[in-house]
Amino acid sequence: MVRCVVYHNDEPIKTYELNEEIITIGRLPENTISIANMGISRRHARIERMTDGTYAVTDLNSLNGTYVNNTKAKKTTINDGDHITMGKFVVRFQVFETEEYTPPSSDPVPEANGESKHAEISAANATATADIPDTRKTPKRDIESQRSATGGAVLIETSMHVVYKIDKPMLTIGASEEDDIFVNGFLIGEGHAVIEKKDGGVWIGAQRVMGRFRVNGKKVNYHRLEHKDRIEIGNSTFRFMENG
């Protein structure tokens, strides 16, 4: 039996106890572990139990890749205590025997249905917590190839090289886990800004009275995005890219 604890910004948000041969992770709700965030691909990765009793994780051609203990992996064996990173989320993988297992007090206590209650990430604690440490570096050529593979416009978070596809009419940016793109910082709340496809272009606009942000160094509250625009919201910086 395995236990997977999903972390966001070093904060445990969901716990799964599973006794399945194959565990899928992705943005779609039908995945075993569903993470509703645009940095996670629809079907991002798969954990499976091998015939010899060991476990392996396989990246399912995800946009942002799958990392095991900060090393990018296509398919690799995973062990008790390993950390699987996808975008800005980390899954801590544990193997245990049911009768011997006692949940540590630092993690959410699983409920009868196999998951802990979802912990809300509020604007207050989002401001107080730092991003999950991630030592990986993505070469610029890899970012360009990821952008080409999307076939459309993307936002690239410059510090962690996380790519967000702009593949639906509207995306929200804010300090809630319910937002499509998570950012934190002073006065950043849920639904702080929105990205919309309209009038033949991609626009970013403030959704809050104090929701101004910077595009190419200038404070704005509404802006039509152009290729390579630099967007600063809260503690995050993004680059807007579109295929020509």
Side-chain angles (χ1 to χ4, degrees):
M1 191 165 187
V2 301
R3 183 171 186 256
C4 296
V5 184
V6 181
Y7 285 80
H8 187 273
N9 279 10
D10 282 334
E11 188 78 20
I13 60 171
K14 190 174 290 189
T15 300
Y16 297 82
E17 286 185 3
L18 303 164
N19 194 20
E20 301 178 22
E21 297 296 317
I22 296 177
I23 300 165
T24 59
I25 306 172
R27 195 169 76 243
L28 293 176
E30 55 260 37
N31 286 287
T32 316
I33 299 175
S34 177
I35 303 175
N37 183 274
M38 291 299 293
I40 306 297
S41 294
R42 291 176 175 86
R43 296 176 180 86
H44 197 107
R46 178 179 68 242
I47 298 172
E48 56 189 317
R49 184 173 180 173
M50 313 305 287
T51 55
D52 60 359
T54 61
Y55 289 86
V57 63
T58 302
D59 180 77
L60 301 178
N61 297 316
S62 65
L63 181 63
N64 287 311
T66 301
Y67 295 75
V68 177
N69 301 329
N70 293 324
T71 300
K72 191 172 185 177
K74 178 60 180 175
K75 182 175 182 178
T76 188
T77 300
I78 52 174
N79 302 300
D80 180 52
D82 280 349
H83 289 74
I84 305 166
T85 302
M86 292 162 286
K88 296 176 75 174
F89 291 79
V90 170
V91 176
R92 190 179 70 185
F93 179 77
Q94 295 175 297
V95 181
F96 64 91
E97 296 296 331
T98 306
E99 63 273 16
E100 297 176 357
Y101 175 70
T102 302
S105 57
S106 60
D107 290 332
V109 178
E111 296 176 344
N113 65 359
E115 309 181 357
S116 67
K117 186 174 292 184
H118 200 286
E120 295 290 339
I121 299 180
S122 65
N125 65 32
T127 303
T129 57
D131 284 341
I132 297 170
D134 190 351
T135 59
R136 71 181 188 270
K137 299 294 181 183
T138 304
K140 183 177 180 180
R141 63 180 179 275
D142 289 349
I143 296 176
E144 291 296 324
S145 64
Q146 287 176 328
R147 178 172 64 86
S148 298
T150 66
V154 299
L155 281 185
I156 301 173
E157 186 180 33
T158 59
S159 63
M160 296 180 69
H161 303 303
V162 176
V163 181
Y164 297 95
K165 291 177 66 175
I166 303 174
D167 58 358
K168 59 183 185 178
M170 181 180 293
L171 301 176
T172 61
I173 304 174
S176 167
E177 191 191 335
E178 302 303 316
D179 288 308
D180 296 305
I181 300 174
F182 178 85
V183 298
N184 60 14
F186 182 61
L187 294 179
I188 301 295
E190 181 178 357
H192 186 86
V194 64
I195 293 180
E196 297 180 273
K197 289 182 177 181
K198 66 177 187 178
D199 300 330
V202 179
W203 298 74
I204 183 170
Q207 292 286 95
R208 304 169 69 89
V209 175
M210 301 295 291
R212 299 183 75 185
F213 44 85
R214 292 180 183 270
V215 177
N216 302 325
K218 296 181 179 180
K219 285 186 177 181
V220 296
N221 54 23
Y222 199 66
H223 178 81
R224 179 169 180 161
L225 292 170
E226 302 291 341
H227 185 52
K228 294 187 177 181
D229 274 352
R230 176 186 171 92
I231 305 157
E232 299 171 74
I233 302 180
N235 296 329
S236 297
T237 300
F238 301 89
R239 184 74 70 177
F240 175 74
M241 306 289 279
E242 58 184 352
N243 292 334

